[in-house]
Amino acid sequence: MNEVLTLALAKGRLADKTFDLLEKMEIDCSAPRNPGRQLVLWDHKQNIRFILVKPSDVPTYVDHGVADLGVVGKDTLMEAGRPLYEVLDLGFGACRLCIAGYPDKIRDTVSHATFRVATKYPNIAKSYYGEQGRTIEIIELHGSVELGPVIGLSDVILDIVESGSTLRANGLEIMEEVCDSSARLVCNRVSLKTKRERVQWLIDGISAQIMQ
């Protein structure tokens, strides 16, 4: 009997694209595609367990070993900063992590002593500006981050950008590009040793599908 492999996935586009790859490997993804209220789903034939979680929680489940592998955006992976093996760039879910704001707007430096950055990625913001030796005030938001500069809450935002349409609709411009992001397959360090054959089978299978 094959050892159980547990995959942590977030509902949405990344999971759907992942299912497309897995199904080409003859892994039955019918249950996680239609989970209802269930959070733990199975392909009993291949002995693969799927857990459906929030995107930001995928690195946590994999790091703690309750999931052997997971699929997560590079941006989320960077923000989490957990010691995982990043084994494959899956190529989908492509976007950019950018600084955006009003480049020509003169900020009132008297009323705002510190440069303010609105973001859902506080750790990335600290690292990015820290490497430049710049002091910032981080305003952590989880909704429409673009509102920050629009209503004067922040000077800029640090957020993912896909088409850029939301930025343009609000008169914001990309000022700096921090990094590119796409979906990554990550693996628990212990699982890679204790379940090496099973884990490598999945990695090689997904890699082969990407290359086609």
Side-chain angles (χ1 to χ4, degrees):
M1 182 71 174
N2 286 329
E3 294 175 287
V4 175
L5 270 186
T6 301
L7 275 64
L9 301 171
K11 289 183 181 180
R13 287 179 297 172
L14 295 191
D16 290 339
K17 291 285 189 180
T18 304
F19 295 146
D20 291 343
L21 292 173
L22 296 176
E23 285 171 343
K24 292 177 182 178
M25 296 174 59
E26 299 185 356
I27 294 172
D28 183 2
C29 298
S30 57
R33 278 195 186 275
N34 301 282
R37 293 185 179 275
Q38 290 183 290
L39 300 175
V40 180
L41 297 308
W42 286 85
D43 170 0
H44 288 289
K45 184 177 180 180
Q46 297 279 15
N47 215 18
I48 292 177
R49 179 172 63 171
F50 301 89
I51 56 175
L52 303 178
V53 300
K54 291 177 62 175
S56 58
D57 288 340
V58 171
T60 303
Y61 280 89
V62 178
D63 183 32
H64 284 275
V66 293
D68 301 301
L69 300 113
V71 174
V72 63
K74 177 66 174 179
D75 53 308
T76 304
L77 196 58
M78 290 173 61
E79 178 63 22
R82 293 189 177 267
L84 308 176
Y85 284 126
E86 184 181 323
V87 291
L88 285 177
D89 182 346
L90 301 178
F92 51 79
C95 58
R96 295 171 294 162
L97 200 57
C98 298
I99 308 292
Y102 299 112
D104 299 328
K105 184 176 179 181
I106 300 176
R107 186 168 57 85
D108 184 353
T109 55
V110 175
S111 59
H112 305 303
T114 310
F115 191 68
R116 300 163 304 167
V117 180
T119 185
K120 64 183 76 169
Y121 302 100
N123 293 329
I124 294 176
K126 288 176 189 174
S127 175
Y128 181 74
Y129 283 101
E131 288 174 0
Q132 299 177 12
R134 298 175 66 180
T135 301
I136 61 169
E137 176 187 351
I138 294 174
I139 300 171
E140 193 167 348
L141 298 176
H142 297 283
S144 299
V145 179
E146 295 86 359
L147 263 176
V150 172
I151 63 173
L153 177 65
S154 67
D155 298 292
V156 297
I157 63 170
L158 188 158
D159 201 16
I160 56 171
V161 176
E162 293 183 52
S163 67
S165 57
T166 303
L167 294 180
R168 290 190 295 272
N170 289 281
L172 300 171
E173 297 179 29
I174 294 174
M175 300 164 63
E176 303 172 54
E177 291 193 14
V178 177
C179 67
D180 292 325
S181 177
S182 58
R184 308 298 166 99
L185 180 67
V186 295
C187 182
N188 175 271
R189 289 171 176 257
V190 175
S191 295
L192 194 58
K193 296 176 181 177
T194 60
K195 301 181 181 181
R196 173 170 288 278
E197 287 189 13
R198 284 280 278 162
V199 168
Q200 198 62 51
W201 164 77
L202 192 71
I203 293 171
D204 290 345
I206 292 175
S207 179
Q209 297 306 321
I210 295 171
M211 296 297 289
Q212 288 184 359

